[in-house]
Amino acid sequence: MSTAEAVHVDPEDPPHAARERLARAVRHRVVLAAAPAVLYLVVREVGLFVLVLMAGRWDKDVSRALTSWDGQWFLGIAAGGYDDVPRGLVDAFSRRTAETPLAFFPGYPALVRWADGLPGVTVVGAAFAVSLVSGVVCAYGLHRLGRAVFGGSRRAGLVLVVLFAASPMAVVLSMTYSEATFCAFAAWALVGVLERRWLLAGLCCAAAGLVRPTAAALVLAVCAAAVVAVVRREDGWRPWAGAAVAPLGLLGYLGYVAVRTGQWDGWFAVQQRGWDSRFDGGAATWKFALLVLGDPRSVLELATVWFLVVAIALVVLGLRRGLEWPLVLYGAGVLVMDLGSNGLMNSKARLLLPAFTLLIPPALALARRRTSTAVAVLCGAVLFSAWFGAYAITAWQYAI
């Protein structure tokens, strides 16, 4: 019998036919279109399932855990605006002035307020809905990024979605926090940069500037890329327009706070007075890292230090792998803002979440591995993220 005959498989063989049907189903355009959303939602559902288990162990209410800390501020602003936030909300020193709520950017609570206006929707339900929809929109943006980068593919995009949804502090994507909304705008702004769709990049960047101060890193990346396009005389007037629009959201809100407080640096002053948060070049972070590594006091603090170390390594990896420089610039910018702020050290792992571009090199590497290897690694990441996020808002008693 010939070799060809020896390896021939009867196409009517049931196992083979089942595999063929499964392969065709996976390649169906509806499945391909839904894949980023489905993967994101499945990963976040695993996180919520583990959270329910952890909440029962620590006798915590799940809804209260998901709306705690900054989430209460966002809900208060969404319900009553900056001038009618519940009096029980205070800063890190248990103080409260008329200016304290201005520390929180308006983009996310504005979306919550609009959703709250729908019939039968509560403000808490609206906040969860905005976070959920924002996460799905971000997933599609990340999938597009994973396909658009050099060496990218549809598979790499899907891996990137899973890695993002399984980031160590991805639990905040399911909370009444603004990270999911910011990341959605940031992802699509960077898609605009890579695809040279400068109006998309500028508008999404401007919207992100109304959501979180981390938009400073995004503004830097978008405007720098636009300037390069202008110098190279590419794309006509569009890079000019993108660069002009990109900083408007961030500068607009900082200007609003300046007028409200009567100080040109009003937002920074509110942050420093209420949370002792300021840019110190990394001195406080360095001191914190040495203290925790020398005498670990908690799982969250020790893990936070190592997350920061891994993030630095991922910046180097991105540079060595030739990742598009605007993506590296954005990720490094987010990391510098995180490392350079003294702030609450417990929040540093959460503040790394928007640096999702640092996950692109690992996503590209995993996408080239065998499916079994990639699935095993991603499942491990999902389980760790689910446990760590649940631990951070149940067992851990301080703000994140």
Side-chain angles (χ1 to χ4, degrees):
M1 182 169 57
S2 68
T3 303
E5 292 173 333
V7 299
H8 175 70
V9 178
D10 183 0
E12 297 303 318
D13 182 61
H16 178 72
R19 288 194 297 270
E20 284 295 321
R21 286 195 297 270
L22 178 61
R24 285 196 298 270
V26 169
R27 291 193 298 267
H28 194 280
R29 59 184 179 182
V30 174
V31 175
L32 294 176
V38 171
L39 286 174
Y40 175 83
L41 293 174
V42 167
V43 174
R44 294 308 322 131
E45 188 61 31
V46 171
L48 292 176
F49 175 74
V50 174
L51 174 61
V52 170
L53 298 179
M54 289 281 284
R57 165 66 178 81
W58 291 97
D59 195 25
K60 296 287 183 70
D61 179 82
V62 174
S63 180
R64 184 169 296 180
L66 291 172
T67 58
S68 57
W69 309 116
D70 288 7
Q72 286 295 311
W73 278 101
F74 285 123
L75 290 173
I77 295 169
Y82 284 107
D83 297 324
D84 195 21
V85 176
R87 297 302 303 175
L89 295 177
V90 294
D91 61 24
F93 302 103
S94 299
R95 299 184 305 227
R96 167 74 175 276
T97 68
E99 299 170 351
T100 304
L102 297 174
F104 300 90
F105 275 53
Y108 175 70
L111 292 175
V112 172
R113 186 162 190 150
W114 292 341
D116 182 35
L118 298 174
V121 179
T122 66
V123 66
V124 174
F128 284 136
V130 170
S131 292
L132 178 67
V133 172
S134 295
V136 171
V137 172
C138 181
Y140 280 99
L142 294 176
H143 184 240
R144 188 84 157 255
L145 277 179
R147 296 169 58 187
V149 296
F150 178 74
S153 64
R154 187 185 302 274
R155 178 168 170 156
L158 294 177
V159 172
L160 179 60
V161 169
V162 175
L163 288 177
F164 172 72
S167 299
M169 280 301 295
V171 66
V172 300
L173 298 172
S174 301
M175 296 176 69
T176 56
Y177 272 55
S178 61
E179 270 79 1
T181 301
F182 174 83
C183 289
F185 285 127
W188 282 101
L190 294 172
V191 167
V193 169
L194 290 192
E195 297 182 357
R196 293 164 60 178
R197 299 171 62 185
W198 298 107
L199 293 181
L200 173 67
L203 290 172
C204 287
C205 185
L210 292 171
V211 179
R212 293 193 62 80
T214 316
L218 187 62
V219 170
L220 175 63
V222 171
C223 289
V227 167
V228 170
V230 168
V231 170
R232 293 176 176 174
R233 298 184 178 180
E234 298 173 339
D235 305 322
W237 56 270
R238 290 177 178 81
W240 290 93
V245 171
L248 293 183
L250 180 62
L251 295 180
Y253 183 64
L254 294 180
Y256 169 77
V257 178
V259 172
R260 283 283 301 264
T261 59
Q263 296 179 256
W264 70 270
D265 60 344
W267 183 82
F268 300 95
V270 170
Q271 281 282 313
Q272 184 165 348
R273 286 195 295 266
W275 286 266
D276 192 29
S277 179
R278 63 186 183 280
F279 192 84
D280 67 354
T285 304
W286 178 252
K287 183 178 178 180
F288 167 75
L290 293 180
L291 177 63
V292 170
L293 292 176
D295 182 20
R297 297 171 295 184
S298 71
V299 172
L300 189 137
E301 290 178 327
L302 182 60
T304 295
V305 173
W306 284 111
F307 294 153
L308 293 173
V309 172
V310 170
I312 294 171
L314 288 176
V315 171
V316 176
L317 179 62
L319 290 170
R320 295 195 60 176
R321 289 289 182 91
L323 183 65
E324 283 80 349
W325 67 264
L327 303 183
V328 177
L329 181 61
Y330 166 72
V334 173
L335 179 58
V336 167
M337 293 179 70
D338 195 9
L339 292 173
S341 173
N342 67 329
L344 293 173
M345 297 296 135
N346 307 332
S347 300
K348 290 196 176 292
R350 171 175 65 86
L351 297 177
L352 277 177
L353 188 65
F356 50 77
T357 55
L358 302 183
L359 298 173
I360 294 178
L364 294 174
L366 275 176
R368 299 187 187 104
R369 299 290 182 180
R370 290 187 303 177
T371 300
S372 58
T373 301
V375 169
V377 172
L378 293 176
C379 285
V382 169
L383 293 176
F384 174 80
S385 169
W387 167 79
F388 187 78
Y391 167 83
I393 61 173
T394 57
W396 180 252
Q397 67 269 40
Y398 303 112
I400 58 168

